[in-house]
Amino acid sequence: MTDLSLKAATPAPPATDAEPSLHRVMGPWLLLLFIVGDILGTGIYALTGQVAKQVGGVVWLPFLVAFVVALITALSYLELVTKYPKAAGAALYTHKAFGIHFLTFIVAFAVMCSGITSASTASRAFSANMSSALGLGLSGFGITMTGLVFMAVVAAVNFRGVGESVKANVVLTCVELTGLLIIIFIGLWAIGLGQGDVSRVMQFKVSDTGLVWPVIAATTLAFFAMVGFEDSVNMAEECKEPTRDFPKVLLAGLFITGVIYVLVSISAITLVPPEQLGEGETPLLKVVQAGAPNFPVWIFGFITMFAVANSALINMLMASRLVYGMSREHVLPPLLGKVHAGRRTPYIAIGFTTLLAFALITFVGEVPALGGTTALLLLCVFTVVNIAVLVLRNDSVAHGHFRTPTILPVLGAISCAFLAGPWTGRAMVQYHVAGILIAIGVVLWVITTLVNRAQGVRPAEPDMETIGGRGPVN
């Protein structure tokens, strides 16, 4: 994986024929672990209860629908990454398709914001699970303050400079996977002993809006659990056979996580009624307590804390790096591109993204609003990416590549745009939060544009070293 200390953020010199490419070390199994690790995480650990609150016992259904939508969009990413087997991201695909600097900036800034909202969601989940695991009994204010302290620690680690590796990702993936396998095992064991109520898995919550719309509303939240699959495109240059391996490995990773999510949901709802599962911010801890009361709950609490802490750190690293990169491209104020002389990290960008995270944790607070905002931002980004696939069909390349059926990017764009709309029952606070974040970006972009114009500076063409970067992870 890319080193996200300043050495990764420092602009690379212009590429030359003699310049070495990234080391191709990832075979299909390592790539599979990377993808599964990016998708597993905060979403399923934190939001299972909130999904159950909206739909009742069929908590598995929104995760299944979210999986289908993610799968369609993943096929669009597969076409792009095998067609252009370079480390890239949504912003670069957008720029290649449309060539509009402002649109490229908005997509890049939306991805950055989704990383901050995802990290803020993780900080809330970390605080709530720490409180339960250690028996602290923290209230809403206590959870918020703990989340702020946690985010400050993340900022300090980010400032110091952190290098991450594929091997570390494998270890963290195993930790996250262990926690979810514990839930599945406890559920299956309890079912085998005749405990719990399996009939709940087919029970819909009674609603005035019928059966379909609550599922759609819950899907807009459950989609957050599928975040991370798009990040794998950034590993293209480090895979041994990207054109051959990516399609089957990415699809396998999605199917594995989809099955895990459905099994976790079934185990959870079998052991804990939906109204209880939806209370608080530690739904899976309740499942452990209900299905295995003798199991040391603090162990599972620490597994959860470890999983979401990793997500928060990686997302804040990504966000600060994107802000730094956009500053170096002259689309954000140059102040945000300053580098600390000693630590060699983009300290102003780290401070800027951390302040945004503090505001989200303090004023938005609840996990559903933060996780839902992450999903909203990414659904908008995925809509653009699906359209970009169709636009780039006219751009032929010399080598063979994966080609998704034309109908799928169309369905992907429509479904992502549909799930991003207010008609789904999405809470309005998510639009407010997303709107404020994007508005901050637009204001900074306008100021930068005016300053550039006065100084005769033109925005640089985006590239991997500045805004290709990593996307948010779960």
Side-chain angles (χ1 to χ4, degrees), residues 1-24:
M1 276 180 168
T2 309
D3 184 346
L4 290 180
S5 65
L6 186 74
K7 286 187 285 186
T10 303
T16 66
D17 293 338
E19 185 176 305
S21 61
L22 295 176
H23 189 35
R24 296 188 180 275

Side-chain angles (χ1 to χ4, degrees), residues 40 44-45 172-186 260 264 284 288 295 299-304 307:
L40 295 179
I44 190 69
Y45 278 102
L172 296 171
T173 296
C174 291
V175 171
E176 294 168 348
L177 185 57
T178 298
L180 298 178
L181 291 178
I182 288 173
I183 295 295
I184 294 172
F185 177 79
I186 288 175
I260 290 173
V264 167
L284 297 190
V288 174
F295 186 90
I299 293 179
F300 188 83
F302 273 102
I303 289 175
T304 304

Side-chain angles (χ1 to χ4, degrees), residues 24-308:
R24 296 188 180 275
V25 297
M26 295 186 73
W29 290 106
L30 202 54
L31 178 61
L32 179 63
L33 277 171
F34 177 88
I35 293 170
V36 171
D38 264 10
I39 300 175
L40 295 179
T42 306
I44 190 69
Y45 278 102
L47 295 177
T48 306
Q50 298 302 318
V51 173
K53 182 187 289 187
Q54 296 195 45
V55 297
V58 291
V59 61
W60 52 272
L61 185 55
F63 286 105
L64 184 60
V65 176
F67 161 75
V68 172
V69 175
L71 178 62
I72 293 173
T73 301
L75 292 171
S76 291
Y77 270 93
L78 278 178
E79 176 166 335
L80 292 170
V81 75
T82 56
K83 190 174 184 178
Y84 312 108
K86 297 286 185 180
L92 289 180
Y93 293 141
T94 300
H95 194 75
K96 193 169 189 67
F98 304 104
I100 303 173
H101 278 279
F102 181 69
L103 179 59
T104 304
F105 165 77
I106 289 295
V107 170
F109 201 83
V111 171
M112 184 277 293
C113 290
S114 71
I116 296 176
T117 53
S118 180
S120 300
T121 308
S123 76
R124 293 284 304 194
F126 178 91
S127 303
N129 279 279
M130 185 181 77
S131 176
S132 297
L134 301 181
L136 301 178
L138 297 178
S139 62
F141 177 77
I143 294 292
T144 298
M145 292 305 299
T146 305
L148 291 173
V149 172
F150 169 75
M151 191 57 68
V153 172
V154 168
V157 175
N158 192 353
F159 170 72
R160 180 173 177 79
V162 175
E164 55 174 343
S165 69
V166 174
K167 292 180 180 179
N169 181 269
V170 170
V171 173
L172 296 171
T173 296
C174 291
V175 171
E176 294 168 348
L177 185 57
T178 298
L180 298 178
L181 291 178
I182 288 173
I183 295 295
I184 294 172
F185 177 79
I186 288 175
L188 294 177
W189 181 267
I191 291 171
L193 295 177
Q195 300 174 0
D197 185 357
V198 183
S199 66
R200 291 196 197 112
V201 301
M202 297 306 293
Q203 294 175 357
F204 285 82
K205 181 179 180 180
V206 178
S207 172
D208 295 337
T209 57
L211 302 180
V212 175
W213 285 105
V215 172
I216 292 174
T219 300
T220 65
L221 193 56
F223 194 82
F224 174 51
M226 299 307 301
V227 170
F229 71 88
E230 76 289 350
D231 186 44
S232 63
V233 300
N234 295 300
M235 301 308 297
E237 290 186 79
E238 293 172 73
C239 291
K240 295 177 180 177
E241 297 287 345
T243 302
R244 184 193 69 186
D245 290 343
F246 250 89
K248 59 185 180 183
V249 175
L250 179 55
L251 295 179
L254 276 168
F255 275 106
I256 289 171
T257 52
V259 169
I260 290 173
Y261 284 174
V262 169
L263 291 177
V264 167
S265 301
I266 291 174
S267 295
I269 207 64
T270 297
L271 295 173
V272 183
E275 57 274 8
Q276 294 180 22
L277 196 64
E279 295 176 354
E281 299 179 54
T282 57
L284 297 190
L285 280 179
K286 295 178 182 178
V287 178
V288 174
Q289 292 169 330
N294 295 324
F295 186 90
V297 71
W298 63 268
I299 293 179
F300 188 83
F302 273 102
I303 289 175
T304 304
M305 289 163 59
F306 195 65
V308 301

